[in-house]
Amino acid sequence: MCTACEELVDPKQIQLEEIINKHKHQNGPLIPVLQGAQEVYGYLPAHVLKHISKALRIPLARIYGVVTFYAQFRLTPVGRNLINICLGTACHVRGGAKIVETLEKELKISDGGTTEDRRFTLEVVACIGACGLAPVISINNEVHGRLVPESIAGILAKYE
């Protein structure tokens, strides 16, 4: 391959092809291909779903049905920092709703939203598994517990 041609090839597209080729002859290849594609792109853009549809010979409508059914898949880009806010029983009882309210006010987004600068994405989850530290949030899988609304701005400032 010529050097000029190599510059035109999207490395993400090459990775996607490798993922498709790895799974396309297995039973039920769609979910592993979607998971791999999301890992490469950070979400599932429409052009990627169309490509997967053609490569796996699965109708695009069926692919969208799977993507919208499972919470693990994203159709929009996420921020550099993913905030999971726990609203499980322990967190709820110990003031989790106030933490949600504070984060939404501070970031000017609601559940599922991403800040305009793509710095943060906010997601409410049922449980993080740190009930003894309730209320808790995790940012990029780093847990912050025993929260009070006043502690949120300082925690957010640690993340670019």
Side-chain angles (χ1 to χ4, degrees), residues 84-88 91 125-131 136-138 143:
N84 288 310
I85 312 161
C86 181
L87 279 187
C91 289
V125 298
C127 187
I128 288 177
C131 303
V136 299
I137 62 172
S138 74
V143 175

Side-chain angles (χ1 to χ4, degrees), residues 7-25:
E7 292 175 12
L8 299 175
V9 177
D10 179 8
K12 290 181 179 180
Q13 186 67 33
I14 293 169
Q15 287 179 277
L16 179 60
E17 289 303 323
E18 289 171 354
I19 291 164
I20 290 169
N21 289 332
K22 178 180 176 183
H23 297 287
K24 72 179 175 183
H25 297 296

Side-chain angles (χ1 to χ4, degrees), residues 102-118:
T102 303
L103 280 163
E104 289 179 338
K105 188 175 179 183
E106 185 82 23
L107 298 173
K108 298 175 179 66
I109 56 173
S110 58
D111 181 27
T114 298
T115 56
E116 285 184 24
D117 61 2
R118 288 220 179 125

Side-chain angles (χ1 to χ4, degrees), residues 10-74:
D10 179 8
K12 290 181 179 180
Q13 186 67 33
I14 293 169
Q15 287 179 277
L16 179 60
E17 289 303 323
E18 289 171 354
I19 291 164
I20 290 169
N21 289 332
K22 178 180 176 183
H23 297 287
K24 72 179 175 183
H25 297 296
Q26 299 173 351
N27 278 338
L30 183 57
I31 289 183
V33 168
L34 291 171
Q35 289 169 327
Q38 183 166 277
E39 194 171 307
V40 169
Y41 288 89
Y43 71 111
L44 295 169
H47 76 276
V48 169
L49 296 178
K50 288 176 187 171
H51 183 76
I52 291 170
S53 172
K54 287 178 186 172
L56 297 180
R57 296 181 180 176
I58 297 173
L60 188 57
R62 182 167 161 226
I63 292 175
Y64 271 102
V66 170
V67 168
T68 57
F69 179 79
Y70 291 103
Q72 67 178 298
F73 296 121
R74 304 174 186 284

